[in-house]
């Protein structure tokens, strides 16, 4: 079930805000009901708003508290946007915040009349509609508002609802930061290819296409576990098994990734105070 808000204000339309707006437009959710507040609109943003009839930077006085106020500014801009947030967030407004490191309490402190916050952590593939977002609803969020948040966030990919806000730091460490780990994998594979004697540009193309294709294969095999996909391409006594013997050793990729995610988790906790 999805619930469509009748009015949306998007505060901040940089990379992630633009991705959300594009996703809503693709779902047919954008029209006069959507207002976008963005101090530095790109030509792409202006064109998207114009194409779908969204209001870009309307006068503050023309904006009533919307059904949904989506915060997509940089976290460090929260204080400078606080007065506007306080004015726009009425008692019935659902606030959807994607501000990394800003808690539900941080957001509610800037919105004295509001009671409903969904805190969410998307990731970069949202830009192509293939993100994954961890989301948690505050106690004041109604069932209908939760459906609305699900609609707004799932416009850019999958949504995983969390039972507890404390889990959002771990979500940040796994999927929020995770795309960088995958890009690094492509870099390391290319570097290893060069070490194995391939020309650098060829090694780079092979590594990139391998990560792209493997990700897409996993995407198209939703019922097959990653471990099974790995087993499917590992012949006993073959080359893949030889490499996996290194990667899956006691000091291999598993403990390394566990340490990397733990470092990201510690940093997320420190940043959210
Ligand atoms: N990008 C990601 O992969 C990702 C992933 C998870 C979460 N997030 C979260 O998403 C949020 C946005 O990140 P982003 O990468 O999209 O950053 P971004 O590209 O810098 O976008 C932020 C936009 O908000 C605008 N802005 C600043 N102050 C404002 C105000 N008072 N009112 C309205 N708009 C204002 C900025 O304009 P100016 O440039 O003029 O300052 C900028 O265009 C951040 O809180 C981040 O933690 C991002």
């Amino acid at each position: 079930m999805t619930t469509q808000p009748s009015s949306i204000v998007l505060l901040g339309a940089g990379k992630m805000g633009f991705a959300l707006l594009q996703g809503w437009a693709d779902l047919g959710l954008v029209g006069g009901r959507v207002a976008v507040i963005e101090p530095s609109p790109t030509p792409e943003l202006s064109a998207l708003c114009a194409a779908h009839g969204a209001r870009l930077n309307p006068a503050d006085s023309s904006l009533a508290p919307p059904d949904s106020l989506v915060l997509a500014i940089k976290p460090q801009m929260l204080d400078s946007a606080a007065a506007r947030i306080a004015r726009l967030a009425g008692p019935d407004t659902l606030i959807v915040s994607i501000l990394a490191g800003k808690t539900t309490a941080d957001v509610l402190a800037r919105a004295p009349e509001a009671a409903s916050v969904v805190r969410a952590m998307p990731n970069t593939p949202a830009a192509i509609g293939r993100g994954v977002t961890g989301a948690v609803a505050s106690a004041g969020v109604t069932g209908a508002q939760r459906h609305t948040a699900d609609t707004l966030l799932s416009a850019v990919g999958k949504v995983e609802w969390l039972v507890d806000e404390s889990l959002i730091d771990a979500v940040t460490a796994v999927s929020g930061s995770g795309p960088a780990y995958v890009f690094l994998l492509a870099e390391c594979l290319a570097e290893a290819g060069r070490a194995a004697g391939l020309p650098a540009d060829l090694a780079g193309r092979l590594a990139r296409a391998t990560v792209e294709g493997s990700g897409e294969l996993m995407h198209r095999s939703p019922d097959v576990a990653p471990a099974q996909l790995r087993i499917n391409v590992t012949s006993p006594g073959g080359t893949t098994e030889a490499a996996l013997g290194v990667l899956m050793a006691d000091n291999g990729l598993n403990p390394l990734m566990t340490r990397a995610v733990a470092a990201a988790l510690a940093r997320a906790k420190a940043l959210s105070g």
Side-chain angles (χ1 to χ4, degrees), residues 59-182:
D60 271 5
S61 56
S62 72
L63 285 176
D67 291 339
S68 300
L69 173 62
V70 179
L71 305 182
I73 55 177
K74 289 272 194 212
Q76 60 269 29
M77 304 308 291
L78 181 58
D79 279 327
S80 63
R84 188 178 256 152
I85 293 169
R87 212 182 54 70
L88 285 173
D92 299 323
T93 299
L94 164 70
I95 302 175
V96 178
S97 168
I98 63 165
L99 276 54
K102 295 298 177 191
T103 64
T104 297
D106 291 333
V107 173
L108 282 173
R110 273 83 175 179
E113 287 188 29
S116 306
V117 174
V118 166
R119 181 181 172 193
M121 173 50 60
N123 67 358
T124 320
I128 56 163
R130 291 274 294 275
V132 62
T133 297
V136 63
S138 72
V141 173
T142 66
Q145 287 176 324
R146 188 180 153 117
H147 286 303
T148 295
D150 197 82
T151 301
L152 295 176
L153 295 169
S154 62
V156 291
K158 298 180 197 303
V159 178
E160 297 286 348
W161 285 93
L162 313 173
V163 291
D164 195 300
E165 186 169 357
S166 64
L167 294 176
I168 208 119
D169 289 331
V171 168
T172 302
V174 172
S175 55
S177 300
Y181 315 158
V182 177

